[in-house]
Amino acid sequence: MDDIIEIGEGEHLDIELELDFLKENERLARENRDYLKEKGIKAIDVMGSVGSGKTTLIENMVKKLKGKYRIGVIAGDLTTTIDRDRLAPLDIETVQVNTGKECHLDARVIRKALQKFEDVDLLFIENVGNLICPIDFPLGAETRMVVISVTEGAYTPLKHPYIFLGSDLAIINKIDLAQAVEISMDSIEKDIRKVKPGMKIVRTNCKRGEGIKEAIEALDL
Amino acid sequence: MDDIIEIGEGEHLDIELELDFLKENERLARENRDYLKEKGIKAIDVMGSVGSGKTTLIENMVKKLKGKYRIGVIAGDLTTTIDRDRLAPLDIETVQVNTGKECHLDARVIRKALQKFEDVDLLFIENVGNLICPIDFPLGAETRMVVISVTEGAYTPLKHPYIFLGSDLAIINKIDLAQAVEISMDSIEKDIRKVKPGMKIVRTNCKRGEGIKEAIEALDL
């Protein structure tokens, strides 16, 4: 005995009604996109798993870009303000969005959050730590990026193709730990390109600030 | 400017109708629980983030328990059979459930999967790699456990309280990397107990088989 069950379209407990929410979210995301364009704000949706290093990456980029842009950050999390508090010393505008039990940000809450910013022209949106749900909920950001860590294991790109397919840039973080976890960086990159040929990929060690310049270039900032 | 937005109950794009699905899932989970009891199968729902080490933990426990139980594994994943294929050499009954874009297993697909097993009395259910959604969808398993890795960063328990609250056992895995990522094990344990006092916690290094015996004891197997 050995078997595979594939859950088909429409077979999920909650898929059919979810389609309506996805459509409503897309409509609100288009509104956000128009609003951001009108205000001259470049927004970047930063997605990735728990502990992949999203906050540290944003911290590093903010430090390098503070002279060039007026920067804001929306920090999404279930219940805590840990990430926002980490960003506080950078003296930039931040809005914390606590999603409660929801596993992703959505365009509606981003619309609300956008109203809170006073004067920014570059906005990082740190999504909830999750490699699955956020990709289905565009927020209106011009660019979407996914941050993975080598410590997540060798299979992340193949196991989570949708988030790579929907992203413009992939960051492979914690490259200093690759040897300790016996992971080949080349093989991760190959897997990402299997999922999305031509994907922009940058390797970083955010703790030591390595690769940040390259990430900024890849984002055309 | 500096602000917090809390998404309240009923304010999510998709929360209201989701409540119906949660109720339906709970009903099916109760059916599964009855079915498992009737068949004399002990089921364990193994949850945790991408790359936390769920498959390796299951592999290790299966190796130690194969003489005592007839073991089955349900491997949940979005699209691949990577985990099931890793378990194949163990020569046990396995069912792969591919959830497509769904971020958690649910009681309905588990009911389907249960029919595929021929002769097991211990069943590991490896949930989709995700620290948020699975906890809301009980599957009917007698025990729920959460596996985290020290490489996920220091904040996992506080950032993801619900999955700890809903679990009977927490495994802290990859303890060999704690020093490299500058994480204090004691502080992770303290944070888990802040969320759920009295929580059973076991530290493991699944790659080297450390802590497996203790995990098995904690599960009363």
Side-chain angles (χ1 to χ4, degrees), chain A residues 1-3 5 7 11 13-14 21 51 83-84 96 98 102 108 112 116 151-152 159 174, chain B residues 1-3 5 7 11 13-14 21 51 83-84 96 98 102 108 112 116 151-152 159 174:
Chain A
M1 197 233 47
D2 186 320
D3 230 309
I5 296 174
I7 306 189
E11 259 198 301
L13 269 176
D14 47 7
F21 302 120
D83 293 337
R84 201 270 311 260
Q96 175 78 45
N98 284 345
E102 200 62 277
R108 188 160 71 176
K112 232 184 204 175
K116 305 245 175 203
T151 59
E152 286 160 29
K159 281 192 170 184
K174 306 193 189 176
Chain B
M1 195 234 50
D2 188 321
D3 233 307
I5 297 174
I7 307 189
E11 261 199 302
L13 270 176
D14 47 7
F21 302 121
D83 292 336
R84 202 268 313 261
Q96 175 77 44
N98 284 344
E102 201 62 276
R108 187 159 75 177
K112 231 184 204 176
K116 305 248 173 200
T151 59
E152 285 161 28
K159 280 191 171 185
K174 306 194 190 175

Side-chain angles (χ1 to χ4, degrees), chain B residues 47-81:
Chain B
M47 301 173 290
S49 200
V50 177
S52 57
K54 297 183 292 301
T55 312
T56 317
L57 174 66
I58 292 171
E59 271 177 307
N60 272 282
M61 293 201 285
V62 167
K63 280 179 195 161
K64 281 210 192 300
L65 291 167
K66 259 187 85 175
K68 190 170 172 190
Y69 296 96
R70 293 157 302 162
I71 305 176
V73 177
I74 297 176
D77 195 11
L78 299 195
T79 59
T80 75
T81 59

Side-chain angles (χ1 to χ4, degrees), chain B residues 161-207:
Chain B
Y162 305 114
I163 199 154
F164 288 90
L165 274 171
S167 291
D168 307 293
L169 169 66
I171 300 283
I172 309 175
N173 190 26
K174 306 194 190 175
I175 51 173
D176 52 315
L177 296 175
Q179 215 170 358
V181 294
E182 295 166 26
I183 296 276
S184 146
M185 301 291 300
D186 289 341
S187 129
I188 297 184
E189 289 206 2
K190 216 169 76 184
D191 283 346
I192 293 176
R193 294 221 165 88
K194 246 185 238 167
V195 172
K196 185 168 182 172
M199 179 76 141
K200 280 193 218 175
I201 302 174
V202 175
R203 301 177 183 190
T204 60
N205 171 356
C206 289
K207 218 197 259 168

Side-chain angles (χ1 to χ4, degrees), chain B:
Chain B
M1 195 234 50
D2 188 321
D3 233 307
I4 301 180
I5 297 174
E6 306 254 1
I7 307 189
E9 285 283 333
E11 261 199 302
H12 292 291
L13 270 176
D14 47 7
I15 199 76
E16 280 174 54
L17 289 152
E18 208 161 82
L19 289 177
D20 287 338
F21 302 121
L22 290 175
K23 267 186 224 154
E24 172 66 358
N25 185 76
E26 299 235 341
R27 191 185 64 74
L28 293 167
R30 279 193 300 275
E31 280 186 21
N32 288 348
R33 188 166 294 128
D34 292 345
Y35 175 88
L36 289 162
K37 206 169 174 183
E38 190 194 306
K39 296 275 180 187
I41 302 171
K42 186 179 169 78
I44 297 162
D45 183 1
V46 185
M47 301 173 290
S49 200
V50 177
S52 57
K54 297 183 292 301
T55 312
T56 317
L57 174 66
I58 292 171
E59 271 177 307
N60 272 282
M61 293 201 285
V62 167
K63 280 179 195 161
K64 281 210 192 300
L65 291 167
K66 259 187 85 175
K68 190 170 172 190
Y69 296 96
R70 293 157 302 162
I71 305 176
V73 177
I74 297 176
D77 195 11
L78 299 195
T79 59
T80 75
T81 59
I82 292 171
D83 292 336
R84 202 268 313 261
D85 299 344
R86 283 173 62 190
L87 297 165
L90 297 173
D91 193 29
I92 52 170
E93 294 189 34
T94 59
V95 171
Q96 175 77 44
V97 176
N98 284 344
T99 60
K101 298 189 88 171
E102 201 62 276
C103 50
H104 55 82
L105 293 173
D106 62 47
R108 187 159 75 177
V109 72
I110 293 303
R111 183 166 68 169
K112 231 184 204 176
L114 289 176
Q115 307 307 319
K116 305 248 173 200
F117 287 94
E118 282 162 13
D119 187 20
V120 303
D121 50 18
L122 174 61
L123 180 67
F124 291 104
I125 305 173
E126 181 176 344
N127 221 311
V128 177
N130 182 335
L131 273 178
I132 305 171
C133 317
I135 199 64
D136 284 336
F137 290 82
L139 307 174
E142 185 179 318
T143 305
R144 309 191 81 182
M145 62 192 284
V146 55
V147 185
I148 61 168
S149 151
V150 298
T151 59
E152 285 161 28
Y155 307 115
T156 304
L158 297 183
K159 280 191 171 185
H160 294 278
Y162 305 114
I163 199 154
F164 288 90
L165 274 171
S167 291
D168 307 293
L169 169 66
I171 300 283
I172 309 175
N173 190 26
K174 306 194 190 175
I175 51 173
D176 52 315
L177 296 175
Q179 215 170 358
V181 294
E182 295 166 26
I183 296 276
S184 146
M185 301 291 300
D186 289 341
S187 129
I188 297 184
E189 289 206 2
K190 216 169 76 184
D191 283 346
I192 293 176
R193 294 221 165 88
K194 246 185 238 167
V195 172
K196 185 168 182 172
M199 179 76 141
K200 280 193 218 175
I201 302 174
V202 175
R203 301 177 183 190
T204 60
N205 171 356
C206 289
K207 218 197 259 168
R208 311 267 172 258
E210 289 164 30
I212 305 302
K213 196 171 143 274
E214 289 76 6
I216 287 171
E217 279 168 16
L219 289 166
D220 291 322
L221 292 176

